[in-house]
Amino acid sequence: MTDPTPTASITTAGRVILVGAGPGDPGLITVAGLSALQRADAVVFDALANPVLLDAAPPEAERIDVGKRAKRHKLTQDETNQLLVDLAKQGQRVVRLKGGDPYLFGRGAEEAAFCAKHGVACEVIPGVTAGLAAPATAGIPVTHRKVASTVTIITGHEDPTKGETSIDYAALAGLIKAGGTACFYMGVGRLQAICDELTGHGLPDTMPAALVQWGTLPKQRHVTGTLASIQAKVDAAGLGSPAIIVVGEVAAIDEPGLDFFTARPLFGQRIVVTRTRQQASDLRTRLEELGAEVLEAPAIQIVEPDTQARQAFDAAINAAGDYDAVVFTSTNAVNAVADKLDALGRDSRALAGLHVSCIGAATAQALHARLNITADLVPARSTAEAFVDEFLLATDLVGKRILLPRADIARPMLPAKLHDAGCVVDEVIAYETILTKGLPTAAIDSLRTGEVDWVTFTSSSTADNLVELLGDEAALLSDCKLASIGPQTSATMRDRGLTVAVEADQHDIVGLVKALVEQHAPQ
Ligand code: SAH
């Protein structure tokens, strides 16, 4: 496998890049770190690097979990070092993704040195470290003009092989007393011992202290107290690792605005989103910005229709110029037409001269994004009924030919109404929605343990399919609150025996998010 001869010259094209993944929130990786991930051939990652970041690596990149939590090491440090060198020597760009900053209690320096010793180029992309970020999102500024002008970053878990602690607690207590902050990593198990050491070296037991678990993430929790009370508070709240312990006057600062993170309207809410994977991201981002933890349970999946329908769709798109108008009823329809144009070697000019309408602002946005076409008509209300009324008022399309690319299971109301109004409607099946095979484990596990606050339903088919997929376990949905995008979805939910806790007034993603926020607004 490896040539053990140390060499000073860098001989292979492969390299190792130690990338700081940031403290937890995947948005807190650096731009350089993300860019390295996007170009990785292999990613070797730790338990504390947010696994969501792995999605940024190319699909074909190998992903290797060397995570160690407590005593359950997956790979020893030596094995990890060797793995990095072996992969790089195969010519791969290896991203070594480490929680926080690679050089802060992450053994990054050992990995870099091992690479150098074996002639493998190694670079470091620093990261946002938990000891500074977790206090920030718990409302604690680690320095403050009035109370703290030094920060000590410190390990609370001394290497047991060293025998005794190398930390000078007397000096540390002095720093804190003189107006300093100490941020302890890996210290949860030694919290009381740390407090005792500090008070034993002259700090008053009234000195403020805080503990922040899972900082920067939606599941973040923290408590504040003093050196005398913090252990009891941590126990009472049931907090554990991974956490940062903050000691110093800053832990007691209570200025308005500092608690921006936990004050967000959906902070701490765990929400299962049932849209297709392709569609979930918009809803997900909006909910996450408001502080929610989002789990995707894509109950439905969009696929190409069967051969016969596909041929009819091809023919319609090839002859698009023969139509007078096209109506897009969803972003899926937009995507299907854009993909089809691509596949047929055509582009948006195929729709030149057609009157274009979209049901829903999101559909119009997708049309603009995918085909650079601005819709001629987007009715104010996103229902098929409202659309037909406005369409007939706004256009002179009676007797004209209308192309309607749709899903296989679409309701017949829209084409029927257009037909009644004298239009010639050509309905083509542009895509099919099918049941996904099983639900992601994160979503199903959370449902089983009763840790889901909300499940959102964005269409009748998401309700039908989620109930189908859950099978015998559909009763789990009665333990959570269910949110519906509109009356039609609510009706299907009720048919399926589900209780609708809230229905959006505005029947789109924005309206659904608004309805959830209103549920959590302070009374
Ligand atoms: N290199 C990392 C630290 C690795 S040591 C960094 O720079 O952040 C692991 C310790 O980091 C944990 O025991 C905990 O003390 C801290 N930690 C990591 N992520 C954390 C988080 N999201 N919230 C609180 N503490 C965290």
Side-chain angles (χ1 to χ4, degrees), residues 23 48 99-101 104-106 129-130 134 185-186 212-215 241-244:
L48 281 174
D101 179 89
L104 257 161
F105 309 133
T129 190
Y185 293 61
M186 301 172 283
V212 190
Q213 182 180 15
W214 291 121
S241 197
I244 295 293

Side-chain angles (χ1 to χ4, degrees), residues 186-439:
M186 301 172 283
V188 179
R190 294 190 66 232
L191 175 60
Q192 191 56 55
I194 290 169
C195 294
D196 292 346
E197 286 285 333
L198 290 173
T199 46
H201 285 93
L203 278 189
D205 66 4
T206 51
M207 178 59 75
L211 183 140
V212 190
Q213 182 180 15
W214 291 121
T216 78
L217 288 161
K219 59 183 166 183
Q220 169 182 303
R221 294 181 65 206
H222 77 277
V223 291
T224 53
T226 61
L227 288 177
S229 68
I230 192 73
Q231 179 74 64
K233 290 198 168 187
V234 166
D235 292 344
L239 300 192
S241 197
I244 295 293
I245 299 161
V246 184
V247 181
E249 295 292 348
V250 291
I253 294 177
D254 189 16
E255 286 171 0
L258 291 179
D259 64 345
F260 73 99
F261 189 77
T262 53
R264 292 171 303 163
L266 297 179
F267 177 72
Q269 295 295 306
R270 188 175 278 195
I271 305 180
V272 168
V273 164
T274 58
R275 306 200 98 189
T276 62
R277 206 178 286 290
Q278 295 99 313
Q279 299 168 313
S281 63
D282 182 29
L283 179 54
R284 177 182 196 128
T285 315
R286 285 172 192 273
L287 294 172
E288 283 176 346
E289 269 173 12
L290 296 165
E293 177 175 6
V294 177
L295 300 174
E296 283 178 31
I300 53 175
Q301 197 180 339
I302 306 287
V303 294
E304 278 211 296
D306 63 31
T307 315
Q308 204 184 349
R310 207 156 58 221
Q311 283 165 354
F313 186 28
D314 283 4
I317 293 298
N318 271 325
D322 295 348
Y323 293 94
D324 301 297
V326 55
V327 178
F328 291 99
T329 54
S330 67
T331 52
N332 292 328
V334 168
N335 287 328
V337 168
D339 290 346
K340 183 60 77 183
L341 284 168
D342 250 358
L344 295 172
R346 312 276 307 268
D347 59 32
S348 54
R349 288 172 296 178
L351 303 179
L354 272 68
H355 180 280
V356 179
S357 341
C358 286
I359 299 187
T363 309
Q365 268 165 21
L367 184 67
H368 197 267
R370 288 294 310 263
L371 291 170
N372 209 8
I373 293 175
T374 304
D376 299 303
L377 175 69
V378 186
R381 288 187 43 229
S382 316
T383 62
E385 289 82 350
F387 170 74
V388 176
D389 294 342
E390 277 200 43
F391 183 70
L392 294 175
L393 272 180
T395 63
D396 183 19
L397 289 165
V398 175
K400 297 286 171 61
R401 290 194 66 191
I402 300 174
L403 175 61
L404 186 57
R406 320 195 52 180
D408 55 328
I409 50 160
R411 285 194 306 156
M413 212 285 302
L414 180 61
K417 271 199 120 182
L418 287 171
H419 177 80
D420 290 349
C423 303
V424 182
V425 184
D426 221 349
E427 212 182 344
V428 291
I429 298 174
Y431 62 94
E432 280 180 19
T433 49
I434 60 165
L435 210 60
T436 44
K437 294 196 196 70
L439 290 169

Side-chain angles (χ1 to χ4, degrees), residues 42-59:
V43 185
V44 179
F45 63 98
D46 276 347
L48 281 174
N50 193 327
V52 167
L53 288 170
L54 297 174
D55 292 344

